[in-house]
Amino acid sequence: MLEILQHCNEEYIPTNEDKSKILQKIQVGGDHLTIERAISAVNAVGDADNPYERLQGLVLKHEDFHCEMNFLQMLFDYLYKSESVGDLGTLYQLKARMNRKDVSEKVNKSYHGCEAFFSTVVDGYVVYAAMEFFGMDSPHSTPSLNTMGPSNIVSQKQKLYDAVEKLVEEYILLKVQPTATLFNDIEQSEIPQRYECRYPECNNQYVHEKRRNNHDVSVHGLHITNHCEGDRSPRDPRNEDGIFNYSHNIVKTGLLFKDFQDAVKEGDGARVEYLWKFMMLLFKVAGKTKYALAAARLHAQLHSLLTPREAHSLRWNRTVSVKGGLGRNIPIDQAMEHSVKNTKDLMYGQGANLSFKIAQTFSRASDDVNSIIKNFDQGNHVRRESSKHKRREDSDIFTVVEIVKEIKAFNGENTP
């Protein structure tokens, strides 16, 4: 890895003649494993003589496609269980019902199949939530609740926004703790707390409650039961509404996932940064510590480690438009995955004659070769046959809606 970074440093980092000053930093991205090794390589030369030799011209960043894939894998780890095949509305049961054979519990084996399936399920749950909110018996029926009434186009649009906002608050956000209360809790937690000995004539104070309790028992023989400890225990799962909780988790995490996808397609770096914060918390809770640290590192780079100009470049230089058009951006690492696949296809024809020098030549020529092939096909009106099954997504969404309606997913006792 150090040799690769030194090669990138030598070939792509602009410097002055004696290489004592870096004129502009260049971003180097990849998945977490690549960046983790790159960070170790940079640290290995941290005691070099000048910034150029310390590889300070390389800005290491985590890319969005691998983050998206790991986030979906985290959702599958929690929601996709083979033992739930008999439970209506679960991911595994819906997969069997829709005959999605390209869906696997390991997302990296069939990412596009898993992503398309999960998006269809989320759309079905959202449609059902809208049906419940507007009092509709089917997706094609007329709303009977929360109707907007006759009005002009401008006011009708605003009323629709207000209705959707109310729908989100009722079925997705639920009862969220007020912001003022959250800030008060944070301020209280930052105040140093001292635990005083509960023996009348003892003035000892302790930073930790457990040390104070041990002191009370060992020195004074006090055995005081803390009646508040029972409040800290988790709620009995038998008293929970499992169907509602599962449905709510699918909608809440699914919309976050689709929002991240939409931000990438639109090239909205500010929204991508904002959504990384939410995913950081979920990564931490799910035990994916490395990607939680990656999210924390990204925000440290954007807000403290880089200059405003470098942070602006890191925030907005995360996607690429391969085919052009609005809303058709893809993450840079996904475009690189496609380029690597084209290179491997070229090398595959060499068979036993493949060598490092030939592989290096193909790697440098693969993009140009692929561009020539595309231009030739386009000029001769050659259309590539699709290698995927043609699906009617609407029919699958309606299938999800029918099943979710049967179990009354959002009619549980926990619904506000």
Side-chain angles (χ1 to χ4, degrees):
M1 177 56 72
L2 180 58
E3 293 179 358
I4 295 174
L5 293 181
Q6 288 174 341
H7 171 77
C8 295
N9 195 43
E10 182 179 354
E11 293 291 332
Y12 306 113
I13 302 300
T15 61
N16 56 2
E17 293 183 358
D18 59 354
K19 296 184 178 182
S20 61
K21 183 179 180 181
I22 298 173
L23 302 180
Q24 183 176 354
K25 294 183 178 181
I26 302 297
Q27 298 176 14
V28 177
D31 62 352
H32 180 78
L33 181 60
T34 301
I35 300 303
E36 188 178 41
R37 292 176 177 176
I39 292 174
S40 299
V42 172
N43 293 336
V45 294
D47 57 350
D49 295 334
N50 54 61
Y52 176 79
E53 295 180 355
R54 290 194 293 269
L55 303 178
Q56 293 183 357
L58 302 176
V59 178
L60 305 178
K61 65 172 183 176
H62 294 82
E63 298 289 0
D64 296 327
F65 175 66
H66 286 85
C67 172
E68 179 183 319
M69 185 183 300
N70 277 271
F71 186 74
L72 184 60
Q73 180 63 64
M74 179 191 69
L75 300 183
F76 268 55
D77 291 341
Y78 274 85
L79 302 173
Y80 185 85
K81 303 292 184 181
S82 59
E83 56 268 20
S84 66
V85 66
D87 298 330
L88 297 178
T90 60
L91 291 182
Y92 202 92
Q93 187 270 334
L94 292 172
K95 170 216 171 182
R97 178 68 177 270
M98 293 186 288
N99 196 26
R100 293 293 185 94
K101 296 180 180 179
D102 55 349
V103 177
S104 172
E105 61 180 5
K106 297 298 182 183
V107 172
N108 57 356
K109 291 184 177 180
S110 178
Y111 172 74
H112 294 290
C114 295
E115 182 271 334
F117 165 71
F118 185 72
S119 296
T120 300
V121 173
V122 173
D123 290 341
Y125 271 88
V126 171
V127 170
Y128 173 71
M131 289 169 52
E132 288 290 313
F133 180 78
F134 290 107
M136 301 167 61
D137 295 329
S138 70
H140 305 289
S141 60
T142 303
S144 59
L145 299 175
N146 300 300
T147 56
M148 290 165 281
S151 58
N152 56 42
I153 297 178
V154 177
S155 60
Q156 192 88 350
K157 184 177 180 180
Q158 184 60 44
K159 289 181 180 179
L160 178 61
Y161 285 157
D162 295 339
V164 172
E165 181 181 359
K166 187 177 179 181
L167 185 152
V168 171
E169 292 178 353
E170 182 172 340
Y171 289 97
I172 299 172
L173 298 181
L174 301 182
K175 297 179 180 179
V176 181
Q177 198 172 7
T179 305
T181 305
L182 292 176
F183 281 121
N184 291 335
D185 293 342
I186 294 174
E187 292 176 356
Q188 291 296 328
S189 65
E190 292 178 349
I191 299 176
Q193 186 174 3
R194 310 290 294 186
Y195 296 92
E196 298 181 355
C197 176
R198 290 170 286 189
Y199 192 75
E201 299 178 358
C202 184
N203 297 324
N204 288 0
Q205 294 183 349
Y206 296 89
V207 177
H208 302 288
E209 183 181 7
K210 186 176 180 180
R211 292 185 178 273
R212 190 272 311 269
N213 295 341
N214 293 338
H215 168 79
D216 290 346
V217 174
S218 61
V219 178
H220 305 293
L222 293 177
H223 295 273
I224 301 177
T225 304
N226 189 353
H227 298 286
C228 297
E229 291 181 355
D231 299 334
R232 300 178 183 177
S233 60
R235 293 179 292 182
D236 190 348
R238 292 173 296 182
N239 299 330
E240 296 288 323
D241 187 347
I243 295 178
F244 174 81
N245 292 341
Y246 186 91
S247 305
H248 176 250
N249 284 331
I250 284 185
V251 174
K252 180 172 61 176
T253 58
L255 290 178
L256 177 62
F257 177 74
K258 292 174 75 70
D259 193 12
F260 185 79
Q261 286 184 313
D262 182 70
V264 170
K265 291 179 180 178
E266 298 294 338
D268 192 347
R271 184 151 55 112
V272 169
E273 174 197 355
Y274 182 70
L275 294 171
W276 265 88
K277 294 181 181 180
F278 288 96
M279 292 190 293
M280 175 178 64
L281 301 178
L282 295 177
F283 281 138
K284 182 64 174 65
V285 172
K288 289 187 174 290
T289 311
K290 291 188 175 181
Y291 263 91
L293 291 174
R297 186 175 187 275
L298 173 63
H299 289 89
Q301 288 177 310
L302 292 173
H303 298 285
S304 28
L305 299 180
L306 300 178
T307 64
R309 178 179 180 179
E310 295 166 355
H312 180 85
S313 176
L314 178 61
R315 180 179 291 110
W316 296 99
N317 187 23
R318 308 190 66 84
T319 61
V320 59
S321 180
V322 179
K323 299 181 179 180
L326 299 176
R328 301 185 67 182
N329 290 17
I330 63 173
I332 294 178
D333 53 334
Q334 187 176 6
M336 181 56 63
E337 293 286 350
H338 296 165
S339 179
V340 170
K341 181 181 180 300
N342 294 332
T343 303
K344 290 181 178 179
D345 291 340
L346 290 176
M347 293 189 296
Y348 181 76
Q350 293 296 309
N353 297 323
L354 183 64
S355 63
F356 177 78
K357 187 175 182 180
I358 295 176
Q360 197 174 39
T361 302
F362 282 145
S363 178
R364 292 170 177 172
S366 62
D367 290 340
D368 293 332
V369 171
N370 190 52
S371 177
I372 292 173
I373 293 174
K374 285 185 176 179
N375 290 336
F376 179 85
D377 291 344
Q378 185 177 3
N380 292 275
H381 304 286
V382 177
R383 293 186 178 181
R384 183 180 177 183
E385 294 184 2
S386 177
S387 59
K388 300 180 181 179
H389 293 289
K390 185 178 180 180
R391 295 195 183 102
R392 292 186 59 187
E393 296 293 342
D394 291 346
S395 62
D396 287 342
I397 293 176
F398 294 153
T399 300
V400 176
V401 171
E402 291 176 0
I403 295 176
V404 175
K405 182 180 179 180
E406 182 178 350
I407 62 175
K408 299 180 180 180
F410 296 112
N411 291 352
E413 59 184 10
N414 293 337
T415 310

